[in-house]
DNA sequence: TCCTTAATGCTAATTAATTTGCATTAGAGC
DNA sequence: GCTCTAATGCAAATTAATTAGCATTAAGGA
């Protein structure tokens, strides 16, 4: 006998609620969004939200994680440099709209409340890390430079996202410059992906 | 005739409130800290807090900005490489305690509500940027490598802080590795500090 | 020292958030 | 279909957050 009923109504409610939260994030501060407000926009009873998510903060982070992990697949142009350049340009363009970095803000703004929660947050990003790994593996197979995913996150993603958080400009040229910078660095010290998973 | 009275009681109240907020941040989630709670711990009337800061979120960010801008002065060892290494090690050690990254989380988690607020946030960090500039200027004067502050923030600070936000480990070796990486990069494209101020 | 009033304190009123208890609806297995 | 019950809805009760109004305190200039 099943313990939960994830299909049908449950899924529909979840979709309605998530859409409502994303809509509300367009128009106001995450901290100013209440359960009652979400319930109203979603056409759902507020008590349902309290039962399923406990509080607004949990719901908000779940929505943020969802948004961050349903990003487009990584480029596959046949050249690592071009893959990275295309991806970096996309990120820079996306983050240039302050509204788009809101999910990221919500994610990092929420302090992990427990080890269990911290693990869940990390797992949410592991998929993306694996996609990066696949892209790098393709490059290795082609005999191109041997990079590891953490080098990409440290030297390509970190500067882009950090600039977004601080409101510093990051245009396409800057994004491509990071790629060039990354591809000429010393890649001696290999750090295992397991460290971050 | 004066319009405000910043001295005496006002300053004392402010100090009490800030201390209370910092103490509360030690023990619980930023989003779970209420004005009444802060008032209680500070021994101040809640109405005073509402009057001076409007809401908890504004107060919290003001405290976070304060904490982030009263960091220790940068190293001055006579060698840029050693300056950067020492600083990077300090940051890595500091951020290894999740509690220490809480101010950073509060800062980035708060979405700037207006252009005016965004300017205020940027100004808060400008002092630090100027300190970095001074450190790099000393290196230039000694005939060492010519770096600009944004290269330091992009390639040294960004990876360290980003790892802290995502809970990825960042030890002293990693921190020093970033410095080596930074000092062997191509520093052709100079980006003016004004871009980020 | 005395005056003016900014800043704070205190209490009550108001408003919003959250919980509780029970009724209703609709997945999912048979 | 039929049954069981997870998931939801609804309304009342409770609790917490916020505002309003007035009294009190103390900075800071004269």
């Amino acid at each position: 006998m099943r313990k939960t009923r994830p299909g049908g109504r449950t899924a529909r409610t979840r979709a309605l609620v998530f859409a409502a939260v994303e809509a509300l994030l367009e128009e106001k501060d995450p901290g100013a969004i209440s359960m009652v407000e979400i319930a109203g926009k979603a056409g759902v009873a507020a008590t349902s939200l309290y039962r399923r998510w406990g509080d607004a903060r949990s719901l908000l982070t779940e929505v943020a994680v969802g948004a961050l992990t349903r990003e487009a697949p990584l480029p596959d142009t046949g050249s690592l440099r071009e893959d990275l350049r295309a991806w970096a340009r996309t990120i820079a363009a996306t983050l240039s709209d302050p509204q788009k970095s809101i999910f990221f803000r919500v994610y990092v703004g929420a302090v992990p409340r427990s080890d269990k929660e911290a693990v869940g947050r990390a797992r949410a990003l592991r998929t993306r890390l694996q996609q990066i790994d696949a892209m790098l593996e393709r490059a290795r197979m082609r005999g191109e430079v041997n990079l590891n995913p953490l080098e990409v996150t440290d030297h390509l993603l970190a500067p882009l996202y950090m600039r977004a958080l601080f409101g510093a400009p990051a245009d396409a040229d800057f994004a491509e410059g990071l790629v060039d910078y990354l591809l000429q660095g010393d890649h001696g010290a290999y750090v295992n992906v397991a460290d971050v998973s």
Side-chain angles (χ1 to χ4, degrees), chain A residues 5 12 14 28 36 42 50 57 62 64 70 76-77 84 92 95 103 114-115 120 128 137 164 188 191 194:
Chain A
R5 299 175 178 176
R12 206 174 315 127
R14 185 188 149 92
K28 62 195 307 191
V36 178
Y50 281 110
R57 180 252 185 211
E62 200 171 312
R70 69 170 134 77
D76 183 9
T77 64
L84 291 174
L95 293 179
F103 294 117
S114 62
D115 286 351
R128 201 63 175 165
E137 176 62 17
V191 187

Side-chain angles (χ1 to χ4, degrees), chain A residues 85-136:
Chain A
R85 276 173 173 253
W87 187 30
R89 279 195 307 267
T90 302
I91 296 172
T94 302
L95 293 179
S96 70
D97 174 9
Q99 192 53 49
K100 292 293 172 51
S101 65
I102 191 76
F103 294 117
F104 187 57
R105 285 202 131 87
V106 170
Y107 180 87
V108 302
V111 187
R113 286 208 254 239
S114 62
D115 286 351
K116 180 164 167 291
E117 194 177 85
V119 169
R121 285 160 57 99
R123 180 174 41 231
L125 297 178
R126 185 151 42 184
T127 306
R128 201 63 175 165
L129 219 47
Q130 286 168 344
Q131 293 175 340
I132 297 174
D133 209 17
M135 178 172 74
L136 297 175

Side-chain angles (χ1 to χ4, degrees), chain A residues 103-184:
Chain A
F103 294 117
F104 187 57
R105 285 202 131 87
V106 170
Y107 180 87
V108 302
V111 187
R113 286 208 254 239
S114 62
D115 286 351
K116 180 164 167 291
E117 194 177 85
V119 169
R121 285 160 57 99
R123 180 174 41 231
L125 297 178
R126 185 151 42 184
T127 306
R128 201 63 175 165
L129 219 47
Q130 286 168 344
Q131 293 175 340
I132 297 174
D133 209 17
M135 178 172 74
L136 297 175
E137 176 62 17
R138 291 196 297 270
R140 267 193 296 278
M141 285 307 174
R142 289 190 301 260
E144 295 186 61
V145 64
N146 184 20
L147 279 180
N148 76 72
L150 277 185
E151 287 177 301
V152 175
T153 58
D154 285 331
H155 301 295
L156 185 58
L157 302 186
L160 286 171
Y161 279 91
M162 204 57 86
R163 281 193 172 208
L165 288 183
F166 285 98
D171 58 15
D173 283 348
F174 171 70
E176 294 184 340
L178 288 174
V179 174
D180 295 339
Y181 190 93
L182 172 64
L183 290 179
Q184 69 178 13

Side-chain angles (χ1 to χ4, degrees), chain A residues 20-39:
Chain A
V21 170
E22 295 193 16
L24 285 169
L25 281 174
E26 295 273 325
E27 52 194 67
K28 62 195 307 191
D29 218 77
I33 298 175
S34 76
M35 289 297 230
V36 178
E37 206 171 6
I38 297 168

